[in-house]
Amino acid sequence: MSNSGLLQIKGIRDGLMVTLADAAWPVVRTALLNRIEEQPGFFQGARLALDVGNQVLHVAELSELRDKLSENGITLWAVISNSPTTETTSQNLGLATRLHKPRPQEMQTARGIDDEAAMWVSKTLRSGTRIEFAGHIVIFGDVNPGAEVIAGGSVIVWGRLRGVVHAGAQGNADAVVCALDLSPTQLRIAGEIAVAPRREGKPQPEIARMKNGRLHAEAWTPG
Amino acid sequence: MTGKVVTITSGKGGVGKTTTVANIAVALAADGKKVVCIDGDIGLRNLDVIMGLENRIVYDIVDVVEGRCRTRQAMIRDKRMPELFLIPAAQTRDKNAVSPSDMIRLCDELRQEMDWILIDSPAGIERGFRNSIAAADKVLIVTNPEMSAVRDADRVIGLLEAEEKAAPSLIVNRLNPTMVKRGDMLGVDDVYDLLRIEVIGIVPEDENVIVASNRGAPLAIEAKSRAGQAFRNIARRLNGEQVPFLDLEAHSLWDRIARLAGRK
Ligand SMILES: Nc1ncnc2c1ncn2[C@@H]1O[C@H](COP(=O)(O)OP(=O)(O)O)[C@@H](O)[C@H]1O
Ligand SMILES: [Mg+2]
């Protein structure tokens, strides 16, 4: 444990967790970098999660800090934030925005998330991006191999789904996954996992859901 | 004169960025353009070797940025082409000596005198990537038709999108038409299908590329080479010309043999 008023550092399962105080970004940023300079041995090779509180951060700021950290041998892997802008920035940079995936027991108990809330994403998710949201996620674009989509609710992709998708991530077995081309690297609903079979021929819209405790994909046909 | 800054990068190392920079530079210079290449691959400097200029290095980019020499002094003139220059990378010094704003300043200065400023960037996951793209008017992504290289290219395209850069263009390098035909290699269509960015060049696998690099004389000057032709076509497309893609398939040996044998 360490505390200089501007930042708090503690060890967590995944490395180090640094919580920044609610001061101006340049101030807390400099405080962090100074601390690293004072104790280079302590930070060398560390995986760092950063809790930035209410800071509203854009790509320029976060990527600059990430580069500075990597120059000091520190890997920034997660940014925890209360600001939706900062969350989006982190996701764009391929950083995690949660510290851990829900554990199995949490999955069984946590239910009934807000059914109405959905996150709208209107771009293609490229390799290395990860999007997480407690409600539904709607993607107007492709999900490329190497991208991950994790939703508490359902996932709808108006495009090709070829990355990893987890719907009902908190245990909601009623969640569904639909895509115009459903060819995920891995598909999960609640606790069930499936790998899409290699399909030949023209893709068609499909819906994946749980039926009698097993994952099923069925084609959507008009009429 | 306002030169254009083009950065050549990739997701994975070893896919042919440096080769591409050297060849496009030679092609543009042969067309009478004033061209300067900047080696942005700090620590992995080798553009000077491929261009055969290694033994002439006195100053490098860090000397320019830190004011130890004038920009002109660090610009090494090519042996064959009087309007082709190289600014070498520092090989040993501090990797943080150059910042994105240094690059923007340097490129703005070079724009006054040059038609083209080509930057050989490190792969997107490495340090120095942000320096290399900071001043870019256009980014070219080089990939091989190979799943892991394409995935890494996708990641870099995502990074460029996150940096709010204009959409990059794609060069598929080391394509082997025979292997594509056999289904043993991804075709350009497969690569495009995933990355969905404009394809500006398709360069065949060609052992002469390696031979030429070792000789320090980029292939693009050799009229007969198909890979050289492919690089020249990229240069023309950068100049805004509409150039059809080489019909690589039609010239594959396999195809001709198959036709001779009356199987097609
Ligand atoms: N079209 C090609 N055909 C055959 N070999 C190639 C081709 N393009 C590049 N190479 C070879 O691949 C290797 C890596 O190329 P290089 O340009 O150094 O990659 P990078 O700069 O991306 O690391 C070199 O040995 C080069 O000669
Ligand atoms: Mg190189």
Side-chain angles (χ1 to χ4, degrees), chain A residues 48 50 62-63 66 75-80 86-98 128-132:
Chain A
L48 194 81
L50 196 60
L62 257 193
S63 61
R66 183 175 62 176
T75 310
L76 180 65
W77 69 276
V79 170
I80 318 299
T86 308
E87 282 219 328
T88 310
T89 303
S90 310
Q91 284 161 353
N92 279 337
L93 290 173
L95 297 166
T97 53
R98 302 272 180 284
T129 0
R130 178 184 165 103
I131 285 201
E132 283 178 75

Side-chain angles (χ1 to χ4, degrees), chain A residues 23-64:
Chain A
W25 175 247
V27 176
V28 288
R29 174 193 163 280
T30 310
L32 173 60
L33 294 175
N34 285 344
R35 173 64 64 84
I36 292 166
E37 207 162 292
E38 285 160 21
Q39 295 172 286
F42 177 74
F43 286 95
Q44 184 62 42
R47 277 169 53 75
L48 194 81
L50 196 60
D51 185 342
V52 299
N54 297 319
Q55 302 278 354
V56 177
L57 298 175
H58 299 278
V59 164
E61 291 145 339
L62 257 193
S63 61
E64 186 268 347

Side-chain angles (χ1 to χ4, degrees), chain B residues 12 22 40 42 46 52 59 71 74 84 92 111-112 130 138 151 161 168 172 192 204 207 230 234 243 249 251:
Chain B
K12 214 174 117 166
I42 304 167
N46 54 22
Y59 296 110
T71 306
L84 173 58
T92 48
R111 275 181 221 271
Q112 309 299 314
R130 290 188 61 237
K138 178 133 199 88
R151 280 251 197 136
E161 285 172 354
V172 181
Y192 175 76
E207 60 184 22
I234 297 174
V243 188
E249 266 87 354
H251 289 258

Side-chain angles (χ1 to χ4, degrees), chain B residues 184-261:
Chain B
D184 291 337
M185 183 183 262
L186 296 177
V188 175
D189 289 353
D190 302 314
V191 178
Y192 175 76
D193 184 51
L194 192 78
L195 300 179
R196 301 273 160 165
I197 58 171
E198 180 212 17
V199 178
I200 194 170
I202 304 168
V203 183
E205 169 78 26
D206 182 346
E207 60 184 22
N208 293 318
V209 170
I210 304 172
V211 177
S213 297
N214 290 338
R215 280 209 319 263
L219 197 73
I221 27 183
E222 290 174 30
K224 288 200 301 268
S225 153
R226 291 188 67 71
Q229 172 82 55
F231 283 122
R232 285 199 297 277
N233 285 352
I234 297 174
R236 290 171 62 192
R237 290 186 194 109
L238 279 176
N239 266 321
E241 274 181 65
Q242 297 282 339
V243 188
F245 285 97
L246 293 176
D247 184 9
L248 295 172
E249 266 87 354
H251 289 258
S252 87
L253 190 60
W254 169 253
D255 217 17
R256 267 181 295 169
I257 293 169
R259 228 178 288 128
L260 283 175

Side-chain angles (χ1 to χ4, degrees), chain B:
Chain B
M1 192 180 283
T2 47
K4 268 203 165 173
V5 181
V6 180
T7 298
I8 289 85
T9 191
S10 69
K12 214 174 117 166
V15 294
K17 293 179 296 294
T18 303
T19 306
T20 302
V21 171
N23 278 286
I24 295 181
V26 163
L28 286 168
D31 193 33
K33 300 288 190 292
K34 293 183 174 173
V35 185
V36 58
C37 305
I38 302 179
D39 193 343
D41 206 347
I42 304 167
L44 261 182
R45 154 174 122 180
N46 54 22
L47 186 57
D48 49 332
V49 180
I50 290 190
M51 291 175 68
L53 300 174
E54 189 182 14
N55 53 7
R56 303 218 212 157
I57 295 178
V58 180
Y59 296 110
D60 59 45
I61 188 167
V62 179
D63 295 313
V64 177
V65 164
E66 295 182 349
R68 273 189 296 275
C69 70
R70 280 175 293 111
T71 306
R72 266 284 166 185
Q73 289 177 289
M75 290 168 65
I76 306 172
R77 194 185 289 272
D78 188 75
K79 291 177 288 197
R80 295 156 292 255
M81 304 190 172
E83 298 294 4
L84 173 58
F85 300 87
L86 166 72
I87 299 181
Q91 199 148 32
T92 48
R93 256 172 297 193
D94 178 12
K95 302 203 174 200
N96 306 316
V98 181
S99 73
S101 46
D102 291 331
M103 281 304 273
I104 293 173
R105 231 175 297 122
L106 173 61
C107 288
D108 282 345
E109 186 189 339
L110 293 168
R111 275 181 221 271
Q112 309 299 314
E113 293 183 50
M114 295 284 145
D115 296 304
W116 294 97
I117 298 127
L118 305 182
I119 304 178
D120 185 10
S121 160
I125 41 166
E126 285 160 39
R127 273 186 220 169
F129 170 72
R130 290 188 61 237
N131 282 344
S132 296
I133 62 164
D137 298 312
K138 178 133 199 88
V139 177
L140 307 184
I141 306 226
V142 183
T143 188
N144 297 146
E146 194 189 295
M147 207 52 209
S148 69
V150 175
R151 280 251 197 136
D152 290 348
D154 194 39
R155 198 179 262 257
V156 168
I157 298 168
L159 285 179
L160 291 168
E161 285 172 354
E163 303 262 348
E164 285 154 17
K165 285 271 161 196
S169 301
L170 186 69
I171 295 173
V172 181
N173 185 29
R174 308 194 77 158
L175 190 85
N176 180 332
T178 314
M179 284 180 72
V180 174
K181 194 152 279 183
R182 278 205 308 260
D184 291 337
M185 183 183 262
L186 296 177
V188 175
D189 289 353
D190 302 314
V191 178
Y192 175 76
D193 184 51
L194 192 78
L195 300 179
R196 301 273 160 165
I197 58 171
E198 180 212 17
V199 178
I200 194 170
I202 304 168
V203 183
E205 169 78 26
D206 182 346
E207 60 184 22
N208 293 318
V209 170
I210 304 172
V211 177
S213 297
N214 290 338
R215 280 209 319 263
L219 197 73
I221 27 183
E222 290 174 30
K224 288 200 301 268
S225 153
R226 291 188 67 71
Q229 172 82 55
F231 283 122
R232 285 199 297 277
N233 285 352
I234 297 174
R236 290 171 62 192
R237 290 186 194 109
L238 279 176
N239 266 321
E241 274 181 65
Q242 297 282 339
V243 188
F245 285 97
L246 293 176
D247 184 9
L248 295 172
E249 266 87 354
H251 289 258
S252 87
L253 190 60
W254 169 253
D255 217 17
R256 267 181 295 169
I257 293 169
R259 228 178 288 128
L260 283 175
R263 287 197 279 134
K264 284 198 88 173

